[in-house]
Amino acid sequence: MSTSLAIETPPQPVVFESEGEVFASSRDVAAFFGKNHRDVTRAIDNLIEQEPALVRDPLQGAAPGHTGAYDRLPIFAQTVHERENPSGGAPIPSWAFDMTRDGFTLLAMGFTGAKALKWKLRYIAAFNALEHDLRNRSSAIDLNDPAQLRALLLSYNEKNEQLQEKVQALLPAQEKLDRIAQADGSFCITNAAKLLQMRPKDLFLWLQENGWIYKRPGGASFLGYHSKTATSLLEHRITTVLRADGSEKVTEQVRVTAKGLTKLAALVKPPLQ
């Protein structure tokens, strides 16, 4: 009688290259360290709340308040992709952060435990390996070879043309977003979903999964996380509702501000078309 044993494969750190720089995704970091992704993004939110220049604004392409004093910033970039809907409906937008080596190091300072140091070193080693590979690739270009220089120039020209096309396509949408951002007032989540051209239940789900809203145990109403209300992305409004019997009921409603709607348009959906 033979007995087979399942061998657990240790997790591997995942890094990737974008425009000549090495990044890690908050989703891969959470999976590697065995953490809930929502807890990881909440930790990043807390860092950004203390220093807004740490994150690249997805609408502006640069860190808010970025000055020459922060040569290495921003080190976090918000990203969004669609994941499969368990119910078989439309794909669900999923929010995350890409981070540089400095961003990972800053985030990982808060990771503790018996294996934490060893696993941090493994992730830093992955950054080192890919950065070394990128340096070797760039040094392989012979600047005295006209053929290589010609190919390199053509490649940059093609990338520039592609970027120009994207900018021109996004200009009308950006103008709409600018008008929304400057508007007064706020929107209930249902109306915000309509403006984003998505189903309200999908927006409620996204906001819960990505650290925007929550319910207290036993509570009936959604509330906004402090990191979102403090940055004026969400607000709470107290309203008085008249019951059928003539009595009054005070309710608290979380609402999306014009600034918050502009942010969601970039994170949850492509800019308003």
Side-chain angles (χ1 to χ4, degrees), residues 83-267:
R83 62 182 177 84
E84 184 179 351
N85 190 329
S87 64
I92 300 173
S94 184
W95 173 67
F97 283 99
D98 289 342
M99 67 194 81
T100 64
R101 171 206 288 269
D102 290 345
F104 168 78
T105 303
L106 191 61
L107 171 67
M109 285 180 182
F111 294 172
T112 58
K115 297 181 180 179
L117 177 59
K118 179 180 178 181
W119 286 19
K120 290 176 195 177
L121 293 175
R122 287 181 59 190
Y123 232 108
I124 291 174
F127 271 99
N128 288 338
L130 186 49
E131 287 171 354
H132 177 74
D133 182 56
L134 290 176
R135 284 195 298 270
N136 286 344
R137 278 190 242 164
S138 61
S139 63
I141 298 174
D142 185 357
L143 298 180
N144 295 317
D145 185 341
Q148 289 193 39
L149 288 176
R150 192 180 304 112
L152 186 62
L153 182 59
L154 288 173
S155 173
Y156 280 128
N157 283 338
E158 289 176 0
K159 290 182 178 179
N160 183 57
E161 289 175 0
Q162 292 172 0
L163 287 173
Q164 290 294 333
E165 290 175 359
K166 290 181 179 179
V167 168
Q168 292 301 319
L170 288 173
L171 279 177
Q174 183 62 50
E175 291 174 357
K176 292 181 182 179
L177 292 174
D178 289 341
R179 288 197 296 271
I180 292 174
Q182 296 168 8
D184 294 326
S186 58
F187 312 88
C188 69
I189 294 177
T190 298
N191 287 340
K194 292 177 181 177
L195 289 170
L196 293 170
Q197 300 174 1
M198 61 188 300
R199 297 184 303 178
K201 68 176 184 179
D202 291 338
L203 181 56
F204 272 102
L205 180 61
W206 189 93
L207 293 172
Q208 291 176 77
E209 290 186 341
N210 293 281
W212 282 57
I213 61 174
Y214 69 99
K215 283 184 179 180
R216 293 194 183 100
S221 301
F222 282 105
L223 300 173
Y225 279 104
H226 175 72
S227 62
K228 300 302 182 288
T229 57
T231 52
S232 300
L233 299 176
L234 298 175
E235 68 176 19
H236 292 122
R237 178 172 296 181
I238 306 297
T239 57
T240 302
V241 179
L242 187 63
R243 294 191 179 99
D245 60 3
S247 61
E248 294 182 344
K249 175 185 177 181
V250 177
T251 63
E252 183 176 14
Q253 183 186 53
V254 62
R255 297 174 66 87
V256 182
T257 65
K259 178 182 176 182
L261 185 64
T262 307
K263 188 89 163 180
L264 290 172
L267 294 175

Side-chain angles (χ1 to χ4, degrees), residues 5-13 31-32 115 119 122:
L5 297 176
I7 300 176
E8 183 179 353
T9 304
Q12 297 298 318
F32 181 77
K115 297 181 180 179
W119 286 19
R122 287 181 59 190

